[in-house]
């Protein structure tokens, strides 16, 4: 089965074609970073308009790269949520309309399920069951995954997501958009243990996260510190260390409580070099394994949507003709494929 994947949940237009027998045939991505840079963050209306301009040309490009025509496709998968409602509607309208015109089934995909399954696109995919850490600008969640669609939410952020905290702290430091990757780069120049930041909610039971207070602690530290390049790097290092340590502590706790040894880490923040190093060291120390998607599939992309949609289409699922966007959509409400 060859499936076209369309991702338009926020500020990146991702298109891909996945073949359930041959694997990923093509993927194309257009980032709106330059469009939103002058505003210091994503402007939803501008994002939606740019998806309108870019989606169809990228579909044509993906088909050309795969050396396929529309008649060679067996299904269309598009992101139905969560995300920006206007951006989601662009992908849903185009995906649902193309599927109708091409007389093939369409399926609306959960954005975070796509991230969760992104490591399945690698040569060494994880086996079920595993614990997934989904960590991005909009979500920080720990999920037990027993099979596709069999998800148990173990913990999540009660306020800011980890990626959101990175972006907001970067903005406090005067770093340009997108702030998270810039803060991580600055942290590499920082010295260890120059500042002591808290590890929020690690001194109590449970697997929930909270990063809003850490952002406030960073704001107070920035306001009282000297304004020079090395100090800024030291603060960035201390902030990143606090976020990474918190994530590692909660992952350790989740694996201990469930007795599992496999960890999947996905979402934009999973590209963070320091987080990868720390989780690899931790899982090796317990005789476990950690799985990451390749860097290009950490952020939003069409490949993960095409893969997730293909698994559900194979099971006989499909969306009806209604065009629906779900900007808020808890992942633990998903049903397993009806195999």
């Amino acid at each position: 089965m060859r499936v076209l994947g369309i991702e338009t949940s926020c500020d990146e237009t991702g298109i891909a074609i996945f073949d359930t027998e041959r694997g990923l045939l093509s993927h194309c991505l257009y980032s709106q970073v330059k469009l939103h840079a002058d505003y210091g963050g994503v402007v939803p209306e501008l994002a939606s308009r740019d998806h309108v301009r870019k989606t169809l040309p990228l579909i044509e490009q993906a088909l050309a790269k795969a050396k396929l025509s529309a008649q060679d496709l067996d299904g269309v998968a598009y992101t139905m949520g969560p995300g920006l409602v206007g951006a989601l509607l662009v992908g849903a309208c185009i995906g649902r309309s193309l599927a109708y015109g091409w007389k093939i089934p369409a399926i609306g995909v959960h954005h975070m399920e796509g991230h969760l399954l992104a490591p399945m696109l690698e040569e060494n995919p994880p086996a079920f069951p595993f614990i997934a850490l989904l960590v991005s600008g909009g979500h920080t969640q720990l999920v037990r995954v027993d099979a596709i669609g069999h998800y148990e939410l173990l913990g999540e952020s009660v306020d800011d997501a980890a990626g959101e905290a990175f972006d907001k702290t970067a903005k406090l430091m005067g770093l340009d958009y997108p702030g998270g990757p810039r803060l991580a780069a600055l942290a590499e120049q920082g010295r260890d243990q120059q500042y002591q930041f808290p590890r929020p909610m690690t001194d109590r039971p449970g697997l929930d996260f909270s990063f809003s207070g850490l952002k406030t602690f960073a704001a107070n530290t920035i306001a009282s510190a000297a304004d020079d390049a090395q100090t800024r790097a030291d603060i960035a290092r201390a902030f990143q260390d606090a976020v990474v340590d918190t994530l590692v502590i909660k992952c350790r706790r989740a694996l201990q409580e469930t007795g599992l040894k496999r960890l999947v880490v996905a979402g934009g923040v999973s590209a963070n070099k320091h987080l990868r190093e720390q989780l690899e060291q931790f899982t090796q120390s317990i005789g476990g394994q950690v799985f990451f998607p390749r860097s290009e599939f950490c952020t939003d992309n069409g490949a993960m949507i095409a893969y997730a949609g293909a698994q559900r289409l194979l099971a006989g699922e499909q969306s009806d003709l209604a065009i629906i966007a779900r900007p808020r959509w808890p992942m633990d409400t998903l049903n397993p494929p009806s195999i």
Side-chain angles (χ1 to χ4, degrees), residues 41-161:
V42 178
V43 181
E45 179 63 23
L46 295 180
S48 302
R49 292 180 183 183
D50 214 40
H51 286 309
V52 171
R53 287 189 287 265
K54 300 296 192 236
T55 302
L56 286 175
L58 281 176
I59 291 173
E60 293 175 352
Q61 183 180 335
L63 285 168
K65 287 178 67 174
K67 298 180 181 179
L68 298 174
S69 68
Q71 288 70 39
D72 297 314
L73 297 175
D74 302 300
V76 177
Y78 56 89
T79 303
M80 190 163 69
L84 303 176
V85 63
L88 291 168
L89 281 170
V90 174
C93 287
I94 292 175
R96 178 64 267 184
S97 299
L98 288 177
Y100 181 78
W102 293 336
K103 296 181 174 59
I104 56 178
I107 186 78
V109 173
H110 192 289
H111 179 76
M112 297 311 293
E113 182 173 53
H115 275 304
L116 184 152
L117 297 176
M120 298 297 185
L121 292 163
E122 305 303 322
E123 291 184 2
N124 180 33
F128 299 110
F130 56 77
I131 297 297
L133 171 66
L134 302 178
V135 57
S136 66
H139 299 82
T140 304
Q141 298 176 327
L142 278 166
V143 182
R144 177 180 174 129
V145 181
D146 289 300
I148 295 175
H150 291 265
Y151 309 130
E152 179 187 357
L153 181 64
L154 303 177
E156 61 184 339
S157 180
V158 298
D159 42 53
D160 289 355

Side-chain angles (χ1 to χ4, degrees), residues 233-256:
D234 292 342
I235 293 173
R237 169 71 180 270
F239 174 82
Q240 177 176 261
D241 285 350
V243 173
V244 168
D245 285 353
T246 300
L247 293 173
V248 172
I249 289 168
K250 293 299 177 109
C251 286
R252 179 187 296 115
R253 191 176 295 175
L255 291 173
Q256 288 174 341

